[in-house]
Amino acid sequence: MDKMPKWADVILIPLISLILAAILSTLVILAIGENPVEAVNLMVTGALGSTYGWGYTLYYATNFMFTGLAVAVAFHARLFNIGGEGQAMLGGLGVAMVCLYVPWPHWSIALLAAMAAGMLFGAAWAAIPAYLQAKRGSHIVITTIMFNFIAAALLNYMLVNVMRPAGSQDPATARFAEAVHLPTLHEMLAPIGINFSKAAPANISLIIAVIACIVVWALIWRTRLGYEIRAYGHSETGAVYAGISPVRITIVAMLISGALAGLMAINNVMGEAERLVLNSTEGAGFIGIAVALMGRSHPFGVFLAAILFGFLYQGGAELALWTSIPRELIVVIQALVILFTGALDNMVRMPLEKLFLALRKETN
């Protein structure tokens, strides 16, 4: 019998963790001599008070949905994929190649090809650490961290020596042809009478990210493969006894994880920058770890956590722009959220478990 209801594990514990992180963040803001009420008001107004703010919040959230799902799938197989950053970088390389070197007649066809290329490159970059873990016993955390640095070096080489336009000093590709530019939320909502900001980078990738959440939910909880992934994650010994191959599950789970991370590139490379630049991932691969932890590796939780971190990113940018509060403070707030939802999870969980057990005994 579970020690607490499912809703408490999925909703109550993250909510209490958020409140604790908010209290400590308030103390940090007070310590640097700023007004926390004004800071929160500015964050909310900047991130949610206009369609421009919403556009950036949803743009960041889209990135975090993809990387959060990538980490969540690996978590279900008891694999800690810290390589989402590198896999997203290589996904961007695949998207850029498809968009630059193929004359597409329409963005919809280009989008399908870019999705396939991003997923393929991301999965390929995850395949090597997966093989090393499954066949050689190399720890997935170490290899995926190393592959982040290798991906950054490879991307730097490609942009400087191979894909940079002649005469350009900027380590970036040429801008993609107009035919492959993705429709923004402004262009999508205008026909139904909703006036959304033209300057906001949110685009059709948001819809694809939401669809990805639904597909991952169906995969993990409604398919035989998903059952095998979860079974292996709960007990390797039990999974082997049931005839599930640890090698196959490790490699398949990491391939899916890498493909989801690589899929992020349709948003930041094809949708926003419309070219491939250095550091286009902006740390989204690492934020995906926090998103998966906070979302309890459930796609709906990942969706909500991605919106929260999108809010923190955009709200933090507004704080840095209009106040003397440094941009790094948002990193501190993010760290506190990660600390309470991840490392200090038991600090909230154990008292709640005792409370629900006591309530259950009184009821009985």
Side-chain angles (χ1 to χ4, degrees), residues 111-145:
L111 176 59
L112 294 175
M115 289 172 61
M119 294 173 70
L120 178 62
F121 275 60
W125 202 245
I128 305 173
Y131 173 83
L132 293 174
Q133 164 82 23
K135 288 288 192 178
R136 300 295 181 184
S138 302
H139 203 289
I140 200 76
V141 170
I142 303 300
T143 52
T144 49
I145 288 175

Side-chain angles (χ1 to χ4, degrees), residues 150-169:
I150 298 171
L154 176 60
L155 185 63
N156 184 74
Y157 173 83
M158 292 296 292
L159 289 178
V160 172
N161 298 289
V162 180
M163 303 177 76
R164 184 177 58 173
S168 172
Q169 298 298 313

Side-chain angles (χ1 to χ4, degrees), residues 285-307:
F286 298 114
I287 297 298
I289 299 171
V291 168
L293 283 171
M294 188 171 185
R296 294 294 187 271
S297 298
H298 191 285
F300 182 66
V302 167
F303 171 80
L304 294 178
I307 298 291

Side-chain angles (χ1 to χ4, degrees), residues 283-332:
F286 298 114
I287 297 298
I289 299 171
V291 168
L293 283 171
M294 188 171 185
R296 294 294 187 271
S297 298
H298 191 285
F300 182 66
V302 167
F303 171 80
L304 294 178
I307 298 291
L308 170 66
F309 276 88
F311 161 77
L312 288 176
Y313 251 59
Q314 174 58 15
E318 293 293 321
L319 275 184
L321 183 62
W322 300 110
T323 71
S324 60
I325 297 177
R327 179 70 174 85
E328 287 72 23
L329 178 66
I330 301 306
V331 178
V332 173

Side-chain angles (χ1 to χ4, degrees), residues 31 46 54 84 222 232 249-250 296 299 349:
W54 266 109
R222 290 295 184 269
Y232 176 75
I249 293 301
T250 298
R296 294 294 187 271
R349 180 182 299 277

Side-chain angles (χ1 to χ4, degrees), residues 48-328:
L48 308 175
S50 65
T51 57
Y52 175 83
W54 266 109
Y56 270 93
T57 297
L58 293 175
Y59 164 73
Y60 291 126
T62 302
N63 287 338
F64 302 150
M65 283 180 213
F66 286 124
T67 56
L69 289 173
V71 176
V73 169
F75 273 167
H76 280 294
R78 204 174 54 185
L79 297 167
F80 203 161
N81 179 17
I82 307 187
E85 188 80 356
Q87 292 148 19
M89 287 182 191
L90 267 291
L93 185 61
V95 168
M97 288 182 172
V98 164
C99 292
L100 280 173
Y101 303 133
V102 180
W104 300 103
H106 193 264
W107 65 264
S108 58
I109 305 173
L111 176 59
L112 294 175
M115 289 172 61
M119 294 173 70
L120 178 62
F121 275 60
W125 202 245
I128 305 173
Y131 173 83
L132 293 174
Q133 164 82 23
K135 288 288 192 178
R136 300 295 181 184
S138 302
H139 203 289
I140 200 76
V141 170
I142 303 300
T143 52
T144 49
I145 288 175
M146 291 170 60
F147 268 66
N148 284 334
F149 292 101
I150 298 171
L154 176 60
L155 185 63
N156 184 74
Y157 173 83
M158 292 296 292
L159 289 178
V160 172
N161 298 289
V162 180
M163 303 177 76
R164 184 177 58 173
S168 172
Q169 298 298 313
D170 188 14
T173 67
R175 197 163 289 276
F176 301 157
E178 192 171 343
V180 302
H181 291 182
L182 296 183
T184 63
L185 285 190
H186 167 76
E187 294 167 336
M188 294 166 60
L189 296 175
I192 58 175
I194 299 177
N195 186 22
F196 204 85
S197 172
K198 291 182 180 180
N203 57 78
I204 197 172
S205 301
L206 172 63
I207 296 174
I208 296 170
V210 173
I211 293 172
C213 290
I214 298 170
V215 170
V216 169
W217 172 82
L219 169 69
I220 297 297
W221 278 279
R222 290 295 184 269
T223 67
R224 178 175 178 176
L225 174 60
Y227 174 79
E228 290 177 344
I229 289 173
R230 287 185 291 120
Y232 176 75
H234 283 295
S235 172
E236 181 178 353
T237 305
V240 171
Y241 183 76
I244 299 171
S245 167
V247 172
R248 182 175 72 89
I249 293 301
T250 298
I251 292 178
V252 169
M254 281 299 294
L255 287 177
I256 296 171
S257 180
L260 286 165
L263 190 57
M264 186 194 91
I266 62 169
N267 185 47
N268 64 325
V269 175
M270 188 179 185
E272 191 267 336
E274 295 172 346
R275 60 175 184 159
L276 180 61
V277 299
L278 279 178
N279 195 32
S280 60
T281 53
E282 297 179 315
F286 298 114
I287 297 298
I289 299 171
V291 168
L293 283 171
M294 188 171 185
R296 294 294 187 271
S297 298
H298 191 285
F300 182 66
V302 167
F303 171 80
L304 294 178
I307 298 291
L308 170 66
F309 276 88
F311 161 77
L312 288 176
Y313 251 59
Q314 174 58 15
E318 293 293 321
L319 275 184
L321 183 62
W322 300 110
T323 71
S324 60
I325 297 177
R327 179 70 174 85
E328 287 72 23

